[in-house]
Amino acid sequence: MTAPAPAPGQDLASWPELVRAGGLPGPSRSDRWQLLRAGVVNLWEFDVAEYWLAGGRAQFVGQNQSGKSTLMALTSLILLAGDLDRELVDTFGQQHKTFRYYVEPTGDPQDRRESGPATARGWAWLEFARLGDDGPRYFTCLLYAQARRGVAGLDTTWAVCDGTARVRAGLDLHQGAAVRPPAALAAVPGFRAAPEPDRYRAWVARELFGFTGPDRLDAVVRMLSVLRTPHLGQRLDPGFFTAQLRTALPAVEPAQIAGLAEGWDALDALARDRDQARTARDAVAAYLARAWSPWADTTLRWRADDLLASVARLDAADRAAADAAAAVATARDQLAETAGQLQSARDTRDRVEQGYEDLLISPAYAGSADTAARVSGLQQIA
């Protein structure tokens, strides 16, 4: 059972349940290695200890002398450096403690451990992971240490495990209460024991950091050892850090610097133009509020009054035009009626005149004329 590592800030409540069920964290990035887990087996007061990291971060909580600093020292710079130098072993960067102290009880009154077997052995390990095209890939750094009572030396084996095998998932560092030696892990896929520490450091430098040699790895370890030390200001070497940062960062071409400078100059010019534009905007706004807007309001009211009067006159003209159009329509109707009456009178006149002319030439009219003449003659004779 593997769960992807949650991003920083996400809820980690599901992790304890996964641990209780025997699960393991999984990577969530493919662009670089992620630090997932670390632990020890049978070192100092820890029988088996393991802690998980969220987004590369871990927080140890506990009382003083509970082993927080010791666990960090056993699972941090030692495994990255491939070296058991006293400054790396001791959390405070001092010289009075060796790695054998964590492997075998010393019998010192301040050592709370009981004396054990004549041979003491244990593991320290650090697990990295990343997503690949064919799934998750894991890279585990391991250190095996064995101390024999009465023997001054310390037997150590540096090893890595690259592939899918993981601690508690194919890479079992202990069986019950017994610590398994490196020879018992030779058949695990991806497990490699380095014949000497230099080979181990070359593996870590190349496969984890992409360095061509261990020199840059040594510089990184030195920087980390200084940064984790209390009273940092007393041990910090600015010249060393500056040189390492210059080595780590690629050189910048002069043309790029010139282009960047031109860009900054252009940005400054834009800033000045922006400030000038803001000043002009504020001046225009003040002028508008103080002079132009009142004048425009007065002019608009005046023009609006003229417009309203013109609209009123236009409405009156429209009403007069409508009344005139109605009167014209009535007159046209009356004209049409009068024209009809006139035409009827003309027709009547024409008929009367025709009758008159017909009467004048009628025999009756002629006879009446003769009668009138005779009457007139008779009156004269009488």
Side-chain angles (χ1 to χ4, degrees):
M1 182 187 304
T2 301
Q10 290 185 350
D11 184 15
L12 303 181
S14 60
W15 281 36
E17 298 297 332
L18 189 63
V19 172
R20 297 187 190 99
L24 298 173
S28 60
R29 302 186 60 162
S30 60
D31 55 336
R32 64 175 179 85
W33 291 99
Q34 294 177 256
L35 183 57
L36 289 188
R37 295 186 299 157
V40 297
V41 175
N42 201 37
L43 292 179
W44 197 60
E45 295 181 349
F46 301 106
D47 293 330
V48 177
E50 176 182 327
Y51 63 91
W52 295 8
L53 295 97
R57 295 176 175 85
Q59 179 177 359
F60 296 163
V61 179
Q63 298 179 352
N64 292 337
Q65 302 299 321
S66 61
K68 302 185 299 297
S69 299
T70 300
L71 184 60
M72 183 188 69
L74 292 174
T75 57
S76 56
L77 298 182
I78 293 175
L79 293 167
L80 290 178
D83 191 359
L84 296 180
D85 186 86
R86 291 172 181 257
E87 291 186 357
L88 300 178
V89 171
D90 191 88
T91 309
F92 295 91
Q94 300 177 2
Q95 300 283 339
H96 69 278
K97 191 177 295 183
T98 65
F99 191 76
R100 187 183 182 110
Y101 170 80
Y102 299 112
V103 180
E104 182 184 38
T106 62
D108 188 274
Q110 296 183 353
D111 193 344
R112 297 172 296 189
R113 295 172 293 176
E114 298 179 357
S115 297
T119 301
R121 57 178 64 94
W123 287 94
W125 57 275
L126 195 60
E127 182 186 72
F128 297 85
R130 69 188 303 173
L131 292 174
D133 296 335
D134 53 351
R137 179 187 170 191
Y138 302 94
F139 188 92
T140 307
C141 301
L142 301 114
L143 168 62
Y144 172 80
Q146 177 176 282
R148 292 182 176 88
R149 189 175 303 165
V151 179
L154 182 68
D155 297 332
T156 59
T157 300
W158 301 90
V160 299
C161 186
D162 183 12
T164 59
R166 311 173 62 184
V167 175
R168 293 197 295 112
L171 182 63
D172 298 321
L173 303 180
H174 66 93
Q175 188 172 4
V179 178
R180 303 182 69 189
L185 304 176
V188 175
F191 181 83
R192 290 174 288 166
E196 68 277 340
D198 290 341
R199 180 70 61 86
Y200 170 84
R201 285 192 288 270
W203 290 345
V204 173
R206 182 179 65 253
E207 300 185 31
L208 273 185
F209 295 93
F211 298 154
T212 57
D215 295 338
R216 293 186 62 186
L217 178 61
D218 294 340
V220 171
V221 172
R222 181 181 172 187
M223 294 174 69
L224 293 177
S225 65
V226 172
L227 292 176
R228 83 167 186 181
T229 305
H231 307 293
L232 176 62
Q234 300 177 6
R235 300 178 57 88
L236 187 63
D237 184 358
F240 167 74
F241 274 83
T242 301
Q244 298 305 320
L245 290 175
R246 287 178 177 173
T247 302
L249 298 175
V252 180
E253 295 292 336
Q256 295 180 352
I257 297 177
L260 185 61
E262 293 178 359
W264 282 112
D265 293 340
L267 185 61
D268 292 338
L270 289 175
R272 291 192 296 270
D273 293 343
R274 178 203 60 195
D275 296 338
Q276 293 176 358
R278 286 178 176 175
T279 303
R281 179 199 63 188
D282 295 340
V284 170
Y287 168 75
L288 291 177
R290 184 183 66 256
W292 194 88
S293 294
W295 172 83
D297 292 340
T298 303
T299 303
L300 287 176
R301 291 192 185 96
W302 176 40
R303 298 298 185 188
D305 293 340
D306 291 344
L307 178 61
L308 291 176
S310 299
V311 170
R313 290 193 296 270
L314 178 61
D315 292 339
D318 290 339
R319 289 193 297 271
D323 294 341
V328 169
T330 302
R332 286 177 177 173
D333 294 339
Q334 293 176 355
L335 177 60
E337 182 180 357
T338 302
Q341 294 175 356
L342 178 59
Q343 186 62 37
S344 177
R346 286 176 178 174
D347 294 341
T348 303
R349 184 197 63 184
D350 292 340
R351 288 194 302 272
V352 171
E353 288 179 350
Q354 185 66 38
Y356 174 72
E357 291 177 357
D358 292 342
L359 183 60
L360 289 178
I361 62 174
S362 65
Y365 180 79
S368 63
D370 293 339
T371 301
R374 287 194 303 270
V375 170
S376 178
L378 290 175
Q379 288 178 349
Q380 291 177 1
I381 293 174

